[in-house]
Amino acid sequence: MAGLYIHIPFCKQACHYCDFHFSTSQNLKDDLVNALCMEIEMQKNYLERETIDSIYLGGGTPSLLSSHHLQGLFDVVNKNFITNNPEVTLEANPDDLTKENLAALKAVGINRLSIGIQSFDDEILKFLNRTHSSNDAFLCLERAREAGFDNINIDLIYAIPGQDSDLLKNNIKKAVAIAPEHISAYSLTIEERTVFGKQMKKGIFAIEPEEVAASQMEILMNDLSTVGYDQYEISNFCKPGFYSRHNSSYWQQKKYLGIGPSAHSYNGLSRQSNISNNSLYVKSITQGKIPCQVEVLTTANRINEYLFTTLRTVWGCDLKYLLKQFSYDLLKENQQALDTLLNHELVVITNDILMLTQKGKLLADKIASDLFAAE
Ligand code: SF4
């Protein structure tokens, strides 16, 4: 089974922290959707006829598309790919989810919503330059349930300056009260070309210290597990059985095809990424050329990606798989680093599966890089 990602690169306004590819001008919307349909046709053999079990519309803000646009995209997908009862997720902002919009999304086949709530505090939402209020967040959840959506993710952000641990706890309570099936929680990171990045360069914005981010992550882990959410990946929590099929496929090294500007694809041996520019993307596609760069992965790349992604998950890193797939014996190749991590109780090995401990989860990226294979 494989995944299909479609990038919708438009937003109403730029959030101060966001480094994704999007444009706040929607002039090119019709042309871009036409180009997406053309690229789907052009890429129909990328997955070598593997069946698709998840389709993900991300962005940007896919909830800015009309049902006419969405239906057009799904028609082309169904004409060119074999699908099997796919999970079909659409990323949405709360202020786009009107009653009429939700009914239209349901009618075209969206069966999972991923809603960018980020915080339930109006001051924090303003600080982040979000377009919605906390009231919009509550209302859109109610309306989504009324429209029949029974698989909903909400995104939250922690380690935001001004959102202290009490405010975070309050946010978690509010999130739990609206009972989404899935919660993704990300630490605020600062990227150079964002408003926060520019303010940081001028010295008028400071990120929270690492200890604050770690202690807020601990709060999330504790508070969400107490009320029955499984932390199946460092940043992802769900009610039993509601794993995101799409995200899990990334972590399980399944193949996926990314359509649209800035979208990435992976076929097991290489990664390719499309140009992050809407007009150049449309121009190239209409000339029959996919504007992408291809990176052929080395064995060390593939080992390290496997380590990095699987260590973050509840399924852990399978040492036998590493040996079988890459002839890489982690126990021998990186014995010293592994011993140190075991002695510090940051990882455990059970039945040849290497996993992070609760303490290790707070240092996941550093631990993975300590274990990376050399090029
Ligand atoms: S966070 Fe989402 S809504 Fe905000 S600018 Fe980025 S893609 Fe757009």
Side-chain angles (χ1 to χ4, degrees):
M1 295 282 187
L4 178 66
Y5 173 84
I6 304 176
H7 191 78
I8 310 300
F10 302 105
C11 291
K12 283 185 197 156
Q13 67 185 36
C15 301
H16 285 347
Y17 56 89
C18 181
D19 191 36
F20 294 141
H21 169 65
F22 64 90
S23 161
T24 49
S25 156
Q26 295 182 38
N27 294 343
L28 265 186
K29 198 148 76 175
D30 288 338
D31 290 344
L32 196 120
V33 174
N34 283 338
L36 294 174
C37 292
M38 288 169 78
E39 192 192 352
I40 293 168
E41 295 255 8
M42 290 154 84
Q43 299 264 39
K44 66 180 174 196
N45 294 321
Y46 184 83
L47 297 171
E48 296 175 320
R49 309 305 293 158
E50 255 186 58
T51 301
I52 288 176
D53 70 347
S54 82
I55 301 173
Y56 193 101
L57 290 112
T61 312
S63 50
L64 291 176
L65 289 191
S66 66
S67 55
H68 170 72
H69 285 138
L70 289 168
Q71 191 60 60
L73 285 167
F74 289 136
D75 286 347
V76 189
V77 169
N78 290 327
K79 194 175 129 209
N80 289 283
F81 291 93
I82 309 157
T83 59
N84 181 13
N85 190 24
E87 173 187 275
V88 187
T89 306
L90 177 124
E91 286 182 353
N93 279 340
D95 44 328
D96 293 331
L97 295 179
T98 59
K99 193 174 169 192
E100 297 70 31
N101 236 342
L102 283 157
L105 295 175
K106 192 85 187 149
V108 296
I110 305 296
N111 55 30
R112 183 172 183 272
L113 291 173
S114 179
I115 308 178
I117 286 181
Q118 320 306 0
S119 173
F120 289 93
D121 184 88
D122 283 326
E123 285 304 309
I124 295 290
L125 289 169
K126 261 190 228 150
F127 175 66
L128 298 174
N129 205 36
R130 299 288 305 179
T131 52
H132 70 278
S133 66
S134 57
N135 197 39
D136 290 333
F138 289 116
L139 286 178
C140 81
L141 247 291
E142 256 176 54
R143 288 195 287 255
R145 293 302 189 201
E146 277 163 19
F149 285 95
D150 54 8
N151 191 354
I152 297 179
N153 168 61
I154 66 167
D155 284 344
L156 294 179
I157 302 181
Y158 63 96
I160 304 172
Q163 183 173 269
D164 63 13
S165 297
D166 287 341
L167 198 47
L168 177 68
K169 274 183 159 292
N170 204 18
N171 268 328
I172 298 170
K173 264 194 205 144
K174 288 177 178 168
V176 169
I178 58 173
E181 283 70 29
H182 193 286
I183 298 176
S184 298
Y186 302 101
S187 172
L188 182 70
T189 52
I190 303 302
E191 307 295 337
E192 214 176 313
R193 58 189 194 136
T194 62
V195 169
F196 285 158
K198 288 174 189 152
Q199 288 178 347
M200 197 151 108
K201 207 168 169 196
K202 287 186 194 153
I204 52 173
F205 177 91
I207 194 167
E208 292 290 65
E210 268 179 30
E211 311 82 75
V212 172
S215 89
Q216 294 202 355
M217 187 178 160
E218 259 188 304
I219 291 173
L220 274 154
M221 295 198 304
N222 292 336
D223 290 11
L224 290 177
S225 75
T226 310
V227 291
Y229 284 90
D230 293 335
Q231 186 184 19
Y232 69 106
E233 199 266 351
I234 295 277
S235 306
N236 288 279
F237 303 80
C238 69
K239 296 220 176 129
F242 283 95
Y243 300 139
S244 155
R245 204 187 283 172
H246 195 78
N247 291 351
S248 303
S249 71
Y250 293 153
W251 308 321
Q252 292 165 353
Q253 277 67 51
K254 292 189 185 167
K255 293 178 188 171
Y256 57 85
L257 169 63
I259 299 289
S262 83
H264 290 238
S265 306
Y266 171 68
N267 64 4
L269 298 172
S270 66
R271 285 194 186 285
Q272 65 184 52
S273 53
N274 284 354
I275 193 168
S276 299
N277 179 304
N278 290 356
S279 49
L280 291 181
Y281 169 81
V282 170
K283 190 172 169 206
S284 178
I285 292 289
T286 44
Q287 288 170 350
K289 190 172 176 298
I290 298 164
C292 68
Q293 284 190 326
V294 179
E295 181 199 4
V296 177
L297 300 172
T298 62
T299 304
N301 289 152
R302 291 168 67 202
I303 292 170
N304 295 341
E305 284 193 9
Y306 179 78
L307 267 166
F308 186 82
T309 50
T310 56
L311 260 187
R312 293 174 60 91
T313 69
V314 76
W315 303 286
C317 168
D318 185 343
L319 301 179
K320 277 193 188 148
Y321 175 87
L322 274 179
L323 199 55
K324 192 168 155 225
Q325 190 73 10
F326 306 111
S327 307
Y328 187 75
D329 187 345
L330 184 70
L331 297 177
K332 279 197 194 135
E333 302 281 349
N334 228 332
Q335 192 186 3
Q336 208 181 348
L338 199 52
D339 283 345
T340 310
L341 295 169
L342 287 163
N343 290 337
H344 285 89
E345 298 179 351
L346 293 169
V347 297
V348 286
I349 299 175
T350 316
N351 298 330
D352 293 311
I353 304 289
L354 175 70
M355 296 187 67
L356 299 174
T357 60
Q358 283 299 93
K359 198 161 87 174
K361 283 181 185 171
L362 304 175
L363 298 166
D365 295 354
K366 163 85 174 66
I367 293 172
S369 67
D370 284 353
L371 295 174
F372 279 173
E375 281 289 346

